[in-house]
């Protein structure tokens, strides 16, 4: 059944809007073997965009491999996920997958599991250990398979920032780049939900993946594209919303894709026939309530200094934190303590550093904090 609005998961079909230029550019990069690094804050639709691009690839000689490594916690967790996904994505059926494993990973005994549902997907567990294969052998699999099959591959890795969390991460990153930079038949697309970690991996000159590919910074979809989309979805489901209220939905959540869809759905759920001030207000209230438990958890262990720092950001102060006027209104301690506060809140993904100052990372968290903590 078609949904009016989709949030909390990747979006496709009629629920996907705009991103025309980004889709066109990334598709061109994929088709021409250009590595892509996609960076943006949370809830901007990175995964949805990549899946949209994948759905538009129609070249039978270009295969796209997509994997999510969010739950990988160690180097060989990653290598197993990498190898398993490569094997499944480059085989058209179970027999071919097994044949590829026998050909390229001869020293292991794979385990297969099937869902009880008919015609369902199967999963492959390889159980690769350092005794079986070296990292370099695993990382070179897509290039070997691409050459063997006479195709080109694009390997898309979601939540790539997890690599930066592994023990001895720097050595692992060096190994990955050391192998992947020599691939001629494979290109890579990396993206993830933790902006500051992705930036550290790809934008720091001292890191192995510096200048590994084309860096794309995903921005918010403009209001001019959201308004007709929101209005059309309301109309399709038998309700009406004015352009003014559609714009207000965008403004309240600063055009963050997932939040736009979530707020639009909440407003629709509160609307009998046509959106009015009451249904809009109740929809916004529902959005804050749906996220309140997460926000409470994020603020529970914060110090008074950290809470003061969030308060000053909510009041529009984004720089000059050590000036006397700021210190009098928002006690933060010494200059070195301000630096510690910023680092801690960045690590907790509560704030983000932009070119013109420091900001709250989550616009709905900011709305909630203003209502509940100020």
């Amino acid at each position: 059944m078609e949904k009016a609005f989709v949030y909390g998961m990747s979006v496709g079909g009629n629920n996907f809007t705009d991103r025309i230029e980004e889709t066109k550019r990334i598709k061109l990069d994929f088709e021409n073997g250009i590595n892509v690094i996609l960076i943006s804050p949370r809830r901007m639709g990175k995964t949805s965009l990549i899946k949209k691009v994948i759905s538009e690839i129609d070249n039978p000689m270009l295969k796209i491999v997509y994997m999510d490594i969010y739950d990988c916690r160690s180097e060989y967790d990653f290598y197993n996920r990498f190898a398993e996904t490569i094997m499944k994505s480059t085989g058209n059926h179970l027999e071919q997958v097994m044949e590829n494993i026998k050909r390229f990973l001869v020293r292991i005994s794979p385990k297969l599991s099937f869902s009880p549902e008919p015609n369902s997907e199967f999963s492959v567990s390889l159980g690769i250990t350092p005794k079986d294969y070296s990292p370099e052998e695993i990382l070179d699999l897509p290039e070997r398979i691409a050459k063997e099959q006479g195709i080109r591959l694009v390997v898309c890795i979601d939540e790539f920032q997890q690599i930066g969390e592994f023990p001895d991460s720097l050595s692992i990153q060096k190994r990955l780049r050391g192998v992947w930079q020599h691939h001629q038949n494979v290109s890579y697309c990396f993206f993830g939900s933790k902006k500051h970690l992705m930036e550290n991996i790809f934008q720091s000159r001292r890191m192995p993946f510096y200048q590994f590919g084309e860096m794309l910074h995903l921005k918010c979809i403009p209001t001019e594209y959201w308004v007709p989309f929101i209005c059309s979805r309301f109309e399709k489901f038998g309700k009406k919303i004015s352009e003014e209220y559609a714009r207000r939905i965008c403004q309240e959540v600063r055009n963050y894709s997932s939040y736009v869809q979530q707020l639009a759905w909440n407003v629709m759920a509160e609307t009998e026939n046509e959106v009015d001030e009451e249904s809009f207000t109740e929809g916004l209230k529902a959005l804050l309530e749906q996220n309140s438990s997460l926000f409470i958890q994020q603020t529970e262990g914060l110090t008074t200094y950290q809470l003061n720092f969030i308060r000053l950001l909510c009041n529009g102060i984004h720089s000059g934190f050590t000036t006397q006027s700021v210190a009098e209104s928002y006690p933060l301690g010494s200059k070195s303590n301000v630096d510690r506060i910023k680092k801690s809140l960045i690590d907790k993904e509560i704030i983000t550093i932009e070119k013109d100052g420091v900001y709250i990372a989550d616009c709905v968290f900011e709305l909630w904090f203003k209502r509940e903590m100020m």
Side-chain angles (χ1 to χ4, degrees):
M1 185 177 69
E2 185 178 355
K3 298 178 181 179
F5 296 97
V6 176
Y7 57 91
M9 63 183 71
S10 61
V11 173
N14 292 331
N15 293 100
F16 189 93
T17 186
D18 191 40
R19 300 296 189 203
I20 297 170
E21 292 304 316
E22 295 94 333
T23 301
K24 181 180 177 181
R25 180 57 188 236
I26 296 172
K27 184 172 182 283
L28 187 66
D29 288 337
F30 282 11
E31 292 172 338
N32 287 274
I34 305 298
N35 295 328
V36 175
I37 296 97
L38 186 60
I39 293 180
S40 79
R42 284 181 180 275
R43 302 184 183 276
M44 296 284 275
K46 293 180 289 296
T47 301
S48 300
L49 172 59
I50 295 301
K51 289 187 175 181
K52 170 71 171 176
V53 174
I54 293 172
S55 72
E56 294 192 1
I57 299 291
D58 55 7
N59 182 350
M61 302 309 292
L62 178 63
K63 289 191 176 182
I64 314 296
V65 177
Y66 170 86
M67 69 187 77
D68 186 332
I69 64 167
Y70 179 76
D71 59 343
C72 293
R73 292 294 179 266
S74 68
E75 184 175 7
Y76 268 82
D77 276 355
F78 169 72
Y79 295 148
N80 274 280
R81 178 66 50 79
F82 185 80
E84 289 161 4
T85 310
I86 294 293
M87 289 298 155
K88 282 195 66 176
S89 300
T90 54
N92 295 324
H93 47 77
L94 175 58
E95 290 76 14
Q96 188 175 357
V97 171
M98 295 305 295
E99 184 61 33
N100 283 345
I101 294 173
K102 290 178 182 178
R103 182 173 180 79
F104 296 102
L105 294 170
V106 67
R107 298 194 294 274
I108 62 169
S109 299
K111 295 179 180 179
L112 298 178
S113 59
F114 298 85
S115 169
E117 299 296 323
N119 301 318
S120 63
E121 280 281 310
F122 62 91
S123 61
V124 180
S125 178
L126 298 177
I128 301 170
T129 69
K131 293 179 180 180
D132 301 317
Y133 287 97
S134 69
E136 289 75 14
E137 289 175 294
I138 300 302
L139 296 172
D140 206 38
L141 278 174
E143 179 71 4
R144 292 174 60 202
I145 294 174
K147 285 182 179 179
E148 174 86 11
Q149 297 184 357
I151 59 173
R152 288 193 297 109
L153 292 175
V154 180
V155 178
C156 301
I157 304 180
D158 200 348
E159 303 295 355
F160 189 80
Q161 77 280 338
Q162 289 301 121
I163 298 290
E165 304 275 32
F166 294 167
D168 197 18
S169 171
L170 189 59
S171 296
I172 297 170
Q173 291 177 50
K174 288 177 180 177
R175 277 194 284 275
L176 269 55
R177 169 135 195 181
V179 175
W180 290 344
Q181 67 183 345
H182 297 296
H183 286 177
Q184 300 298 310
N185 300 282
V186 185
S187 59
Y188 294 86
C189 175
F190 305 131
F191 52 109
S193 60
K194 295 184 179 180
K195 178 172 173 276
H196 71 288
L197 293 177
M198 290 290 289
E199 288 176 340
N200 181 59
I201 291 172
F202 292 104
Q203 293 186 337
S204 173
R205 292 178 181 271
R206 62 183 178 81
M207 298 299 283
F209 276 102
Y210 178 67
Q211 291 191 334
F212 184 72
E214 180 176 1
M215 190 85 65
L216 299 176
H217 289 266
L218 198 60
K219 297 180 180 179
C220 293
I221 296 174
T223 302
E224 64 193 81
Y225 291 103
W226 274 122
V227 169
F229 170 79
I230 294 169
C231 292
S232 68
R233 301 307 288 171
F234 268 77
E235 183 179 359
K236 181 175 178 61
F237 285 81
K239 298 184 180 183
K240 186 176 180 181
I241 184 172
S242 67
E243 291 189 359
E244 177 188 354
Y245 277 116
R247 278 193 293 271
R248 283 181 61 185
I249 286 174
C250 300
Q251 291 165 359
E252 287 288 353
V253 295
R254 299 180 191 170
N255 291 48
Y256 276 58
S257 298
S258 181
Y259 279 143
V260 169
Q261 299 235 27
Q262 187 174 1
L263 179 54
W265 165 245
N266 283 332
V267 172
M268 179 183 281
E270 297 291 340
T271 300
E272 190 69 31
N273 297 304
E274 183 173 357
V275 175
D276 56 19
E277 192 62 29
E278 181 181 358
S279 58
F280 182 87
T281 300
E282 288 301 310
L284 182 59
K285 179 181 176 183
L287 175 67
L288 296 175
E289 289 176 351
Q290 288 159 2
N291 289 277
S292 64
S293 60
L294 171 63
F295 298 154
I296 290 170
Q297 182 181 356
Q298 287 180 304
T299 55
E300 270 184 340
L302 298 183
T303 66
T304 300
Y305 286 146
Q306 290 170 334
L307 292 171
N308 283 342
F309 193 85
I310 296 172
R311 290 187 182 101
L312 68 86
L313 295 180
C314 288
N315 281 328
I317 301 170
H318 302 290
S319 60
F321 305 122
T322 58
T323 62
Q324 184 175 350
S325 59
V326 170
E328 289 174 354
S329 301
Y330 307 95
L332 301 174
S334 64
K335 181 181 182 303
S336 60
N337 195 52
V338 172
D339 293 335
R340 285 192 291 270
I341 291 170
K342 285 196 291 185
K343 183 181 184 308
S344 176
L345 294 179
I346 289 171
D347 290 341
K348 296 176 187 293
E349 299 182 74
I350 293 176
I351 66 172
T352 182
I353 307 293
E354 304 295 343
K355 290 182 179 179
D356 57 343
V358 183
Y359 292 84
I360 303 292
D362 187 319
C363 56
V364 176
F365 173 85
E366 183 170 346
L367 283 173
W368 174 85
F369 194 91
K370 286 178 177 179
R371 294 192 179 196
E372 302 295 330
M373 307 287 285
M374 295 180 69

